[in-house]
Short mmCIF file of all heavy atoms in Angstrom, two decimals:
data_model
loop_
_atom_site.label_atom_id
_atom_site.label_comp_id
_atom_site.label_asym_id
_atom_site.label_seq_id
_atom_site.Cartn_x
_atom_site.Cartn_y
_atom_site.Cartn_z
N PHE A 2 62.38 118.08 46.93
CA PHE A 2 61.49 117.12 47.32
C PHE A 2 62.21 115.78 47.77
O PHE A 2 61.82 115.21 48.79
CB PHE A 2 60.52 116.71 46.16
CG PHE A 2 59.57 115.61 46.34
CD1 PHE A 2 58.55 115.62 47.26
CD2 PHE A 2 59.85 114.30 45.74
CE1 PHE A 2 57.72 114.57 47.48
CE2 PHE A 2 59.03 113.28 46.01
CZ PHE A 2 57.92 113.44 46.87
N LYS A 3 63.25 115.45 47.01
CA LYS A 3 64.04 114.24 47.47
C LYS A 3 64.59 114.40 48.88
O LYS A 3 64.57 113.53 49.73
CB LYS A 3 65.18 114.05 46.48
CG LYS A 3 66.11 112.85 46.88
CD LYS A 3 67.34 112.78 46.02
CE LYS A 3 68.28 113.90 46.36
NZ LYS A 3 69.63 113.72 45.64
N GLN A 4 65.16 115.60 49.14
CA GLN A 4 65.65 115.86 50.38
C GLN A 4 64.69 115.85 51.51
O GLN A 4 64.91 115.27 52.64
CB GLN A 4 66.44 117.20 50.44
CG GLN A 4 67.37 117.44 51.60
CD GLN A 4 68.41 116.34 51.60
OE1 GLN A 4 69.16 116.04 50.56
NE2 GLN A 4 68.72 115.80 52.75
N GLN A 5 63.49 116.37 51.25
CA GLN A 5 62.37 116.25 52.24
C GLN A 5 61.98 114.82 52.55
O GLN A 5 61.69 114.46 53.71
CB GLN A 5 61.21 117.03 51.74
CG GLN A 5 61.42 118.59 51.62
CD GLN A 5 60.22 119.28 51.03
OE1 GLN A 5 59.27 118.68 50.59
NE2 GLN A 5 60.30 120.66 50.92
N VAL A 6 61.98 114.02 51.47
CA VAL A 6 61.59 112.58 51.66
C VAL A 6 62.67 111.88 52.44
O VAL A 6 62.38 111.14 53.43
CB VAL A 6 61.41 111.95 50.26
CG1 VAL A 6 61.27 110.40 50.49
CG2 VAL A 6 60.22 112.49 49.58
N LEU A 7 63.95 112.13 52.15
CA LEU A 7 65.03 111.42 52.85
C LEU A 7 65.18 111.87 54.25
O LEU A 7 65.67 111.12 55.09
CB LEU A 7 66.31 111.57 52.13
CG LEU A 7 66.38 110.90 50.73
CD1 LEU A 7 67.75 111.22 50.00
CD2 LEU A 7 66.15 109.46 50.74
N ASP A 8 64.85 113.13 54.57
CA ASP A 8 64.89 113.66 55.91
C ASP A 8 63.78 113.21 56.82
O ASP A 8 63.85 113.40 58.00
CB ASP A 8 64.94 115.20 55.86
CG ASP A 8 66.29 115.71 55.27
OD1 ASP A 8 67.29 114.93 55.31
OD2 ASP A 8 66.33 116.85 54.86
N HIS A 9 62.79 112.62 56.21
CA HIS A 9 61.66 112.16 56.99
C HIS A 9 62.11 110.94 58.02
O HIS A 9 62.83 110.18 57.61
CB HIS A 9 60.51 111.68 56.13
CG HIS A 9 59.21 111.51 56.80
ND1 HIS A 9 58.89 110.38 57.58
CD2 HIS A 9 58.09 112.31 56.87
CE1 HIS A 9 57.71 110.50 58.04
NE2 HIS A 9 57.19 111.73 57.64
N PRO A 10 61.60 111.01 59.25
CA PRO A 10 62.06 110.02 60.18
C PRO A 10 61.76 108.57 59.72
O PRO A 10 62.55 107.66 59.99
CB PRO A 10 61.25 110.32 61.48
CG PRO A 10 61.00 111.87 61.37
CD PRO A 10 60.81 112.09 59.88
N ALA A 11 60.64 108.35 59.00
CA ALA A 11 60.31 107.04 58.50
C ALA A 11 61.36 106.57 57.62
O ALA A 11 61.70 105.35 57.60
CB ALA A 11 58.94 107.02 57.94
N VAL A 12 61.87 107.44 56.70
CA VAL A 12 62.84 107.04 55.75
C VAL A 12 64.18 106.81 56.39
O VAL A 12 64.96 105.91 56.03
CB VAL A 12 62.99 108.07 54.60
CG1 VAL A 12 64.01 107.64 53.60
CG2 VAL A 12 61.63 108.28 53.90
N GLN A 13 64.51 107.68 57.41
CA GLN A 13 65.74 107.52 58.13
C GLN A 13 65.85 106.11 58.79
O GLN A 13 66.94 105.56 58.84
CB GLN A 13 65.91 108.62 59.17
CG GLN A 13 66.07 109.97 58.59
CD GLN A 13 67.43 110.20 57.94
OE1 GLN A 13 68.43 109.61 58.35
NE2 GLN A 13 67.45 110.94 56.83
N ASN A 14 64.75 105.60 59.25
CA ASN A 14 64.69 104.33 59.94
C ASN A 14 64.36 103.17 59.01
O ASN A 14 64.09 102.07 59.39
CB ASN A 14 63.72 104.33 61.10
CG ASN A 14 64.08 105.38 62.13
OD1 ASN A 14 65.26 105.58 62.40
ND2 ASN A 14 63.16 106.01 62.73
N LEU A 15 64.33 103.44 57.68
CA LEU A 15 63.92 102.47 56.69
C LEU A 15 64.83 101.25 56.65
O LEU A 15 64.37 100.09 56.74
CB LEU A 15 63.85 103.11 55.32
CG LEU A 15 63.44 102.08 54.17
CD1 LEU A 15 62.07 101.63 54.36
CD2 LEU A 15 63.52 102.88 52.81
N ALA A 16 66.13 101.50 56.65
CA ALA A 16 67.16 100.42 56.66
C ALA A 16 67.02 99.49 57.80
O ALA A 16 66.94 98.27 57.63
CB ALA A 16 68.51 100.93 56.57
N GLY A 17 66.84 100.08 59.00
CA GLY A 17 66.67 99.19 60.18
C GLY A 17 65.43 98.45 60.13
O GLY A 17 65.39 97.27 60.51
N SER A 18 64.30 99.07 59.79
CA SER A 18 63.03 98.40 59.81
C SER A 18 62.93 97.26 58.65
O SER A 18 62.46 96.18 58.95
CB SER A 18 61.84 99.37 59.57
OG SER A 18 62.08 100.04 58.32
N VAL A 19 63.57 97.58 57.52
CA VAL A 19 63.61 96.62 56.45
C VAL A 19 64.35 95.40 56.88
O VAL A 19 63.96 94.24 56.73
CB VAL A 19 64.21 97.21 55.18
CG1 VAL A 19 64.52 96.10 54.16
CG2 VAL A 19 63.25 98.24 54.59
N TRP A 20 65.59 95.57 57.52
CA TRP A 20 66.37 94.48 57.93
C TRP A 20 65.73 93.71 59.09
O TRP A 20 65.76 92.47 59.05
CB TRP A 20 67.75 94.92 58.41
CG TRP A 20 68.57 93.94 59.18
CD1 TRP A 20 68.94 93.94 60.49
CD2 TRP A 20 68.91 92.53 58.74
NE1 TRP A 20 69.57 92.81 60.77
CE2 TRP A 20 69.60 91.95 59.71
CE3 TRP A 20 68.77 91.99 57.48
CZ2 TRP A 20 70.11 90.73 59.62
CZ3 TRP A 20 69.35 90.65 57.35
CH2 TRP A 20 69.99 90.07 58.42
N SER A 21 65.03 94.40 59.94
CA SER A 21 64.43 93.66 61.06
C SER A 21 63.28 92.78 60.49
O SER A 21 63.16 91.57 60.95
CB SER A 21 63.77 94.63 62.03
OG SER A 21 64.80 95.49 62.65
N ARG A 22 62.54 93.28 59.51
CA ARG A 22 61.56 92.49 58.93
C ARG A 22 62.06 91.26 58.15
O ARG A 22 61.59 90.17 58.26
CB ARG A 22 60.69 93.42 58.00
CG ARG A 22 59.44 92.71 57.32
CD ARG A 22 58.58 92.11 58.35
NE ARG A 22 57.38 91.45 57.74
CZ ARG A 22 56.61 90.61 58.40
NH1 ARG A 22 56.79 90.29 59.67
NH2 ARG A 22 55.57 90.02 57.77
N ILE A 23 63.08 91.57 57.35
CA ILE A 23 63.66 90.52 56.49
C ILE A 23 64.34 89.41 57.44
O ILE A 23 64.13 88.20 57.24
CB ILE A 23 64.78 91.09 55.64
CG1 ILE A 23 64.19 91.93 54.56
CG2 ILE A 23 65.58 89.93 54.91
CD1 ILE A 23 65.11 92.60 53.62
N LYS A 24 64.95 89.84 58.50
CA LYS A 24 65.57 88.97 59.47
C LYS A 24 64.58 88.02 60.14
O LYS A 24 64.75 86.89 60.18
CB LYS A 24 66.38 89.75 60.51
CG LYS A 24 66.94 88.86 61.61
CD LYS A 24 67.70 89.79 62.61
CE LYS A 24 68.31 88.92 63.69
NZ LYS A 24 69.07 89.75 64.72
N GLN A 25 63.39 88.68 60.54
CA GLN A 25 62.40 87.86 61.17
C GLN A 25 61.77 86.93 60.20
O GLN A 25 61.51 85.72 60.53
CB GLN A 25 61.33 88.74 61.76
CG GLN A 25 60.36 88.06 62.70
CD GLN A 25 61.06 87.43 63.81
OE1 GLN A 25 61.91 88.04 64.53
NE2 GLN A 25 60.70 86.13 64.16
N LEU A 26 61.58 87.30 59.01
CA LEU A 26 61.03 86.42 57.93
C LEU A 26 61.90 85.25 57.69
O LEU A 26 61.53 84.09 57.58
CB LEU A 26 60.78 87.14 56.67
CG LEU A 26 59.63 88.18 56.66
CD1 LEU A 26 59.59 88.96 55.30
CD2 LEU A 26 58.32 87.46 56.80
N ILE A 27 63.17 85.53 57.59
CA ILE A 27 64.19 84.43 57.37
C ILE A 27 64.23 83.43 58.53
O ILE A 27 64.24 82.28 58.36
CB ILE A 27 65.61 85.00 57.15
CG1 ILE A 27 65.68 85.84 55.85
CG2 ILE A 27 66.68 83.89 57.09
CD1 ILE A 27 66.95 86.56 55.60
N LEU A 28 64.28 83.94 59.78
CA LEU A 28 64.29 83.12 60.89
C LEU A 28 62.98 82.22 61.00
O LEU A 28 63.12 81.03 61.30
CB LEU A 28 64.51 83.96 62.20
CG LEU A 28 65.82 84.64 62.34
CD1 LEU A 28 65.85 85.55 63.64
CD2 LEU A 28 66.93 83.55 62.49
N ASP A 29 61.86 82.87 60.75
CA ASP A 29 60.61 82.13 60.86
C ASP A 29 60.56 81.04 59.77
O ASP A 29 60.19 79.92 60.04
CB ASP A 29 59.44 83.10 60.68
CG ASP A 29 59.27 84.04 61.90
OD1 ASP A 29 59.86 83.75 62.93
OD2 ASP A 29 58.60 85.04 61.75
N ALA A 30 61.03 81.42 58.55
CA ALA A 30 60.95 80.42 57.47
C ALA A 30 61.93 79.32 57.69
O ALA A 30 61.62 78.14 57.41
CB ALA A 30 61.22 81.14 56.14
N ALA A 31 63.15 79.63 58.23
CA ALA A 31 64.11 78.62 58.49
C ALA A 31 63.73 77.67 59.66
O ALA A 31 64.16 76.53 59.69
CB ALA A 31 65.52 79.27 58.77
N GLU A 32 62.99 78.16 60.61
CA GLU A 32 62.61 77.44 61.78
C GLU A 32 61.45 76.52 61.53
O GLU A 32 61.42 75.40 62.06
CB GLU A 32 62.23 78.45 62.90
CG GLU A 32 61.99 77.78 64.30
CD GLU A 32 63.36 77.28 64.89
OE1 GLU A 32 64.37 77.89 64.62
OE2 GLU A 32 63.31 76.25 65.60
N ASP A 33 60.62 76.90 60.61
CA ASP A 33 59.35 76.10 60.35
C ASP A 33 59.68 75.10 59.20
O ASP A 33 59.81 75.48 58.05
CB ASP A 33 58.16 76.99 59.94
CG ASP A 33 56.95 76.21 59.77
OD1 ASP A 33 56.89 75.08 60.09
OD2 ASP A 33 55.97 76.85 59.39
N PRO A 34 59.67 73.76 59.48
CA PRO A 34 59.85 72.79 58.45
C PRO A 34 58.81 72.82 57.30
O PRO A 34 59.05 72.44 56.17
CB PRO A 34 59.81 71.43 59.18
CG PRO A 34 60.07 71.78 60.58
CD PRO A 34 59.45 73.14 60.80
#
């Protein structure tokens, strides 16, 4: 079951999507006084 979950495309792209979201949140928060 673990292997099936990790092989899913959504999980494969999880790191990239998580960083993109975190990066945008940081930039928005830092930009807005």
Side-chain angles (χ1 to χ4, degrees):
F2 173 72
K3 177 188 75 174
Q4 197 59 46
Q5 291 176 357
V6 172
L7 295 178
D8 289 341
H9 195 278
V12 177
Q13 292 290 327
N14 298 325
L15 178 62
S18 60
V19 168
W20 166 241
S21 298
R22 182 58 179 165
I23 293 176
K24 178 180 179 180
Q25 192 59 47
L26 288 174
I27 294 175
L28 291 175
D29 292 343
E32 189 70 29
D33 185 8

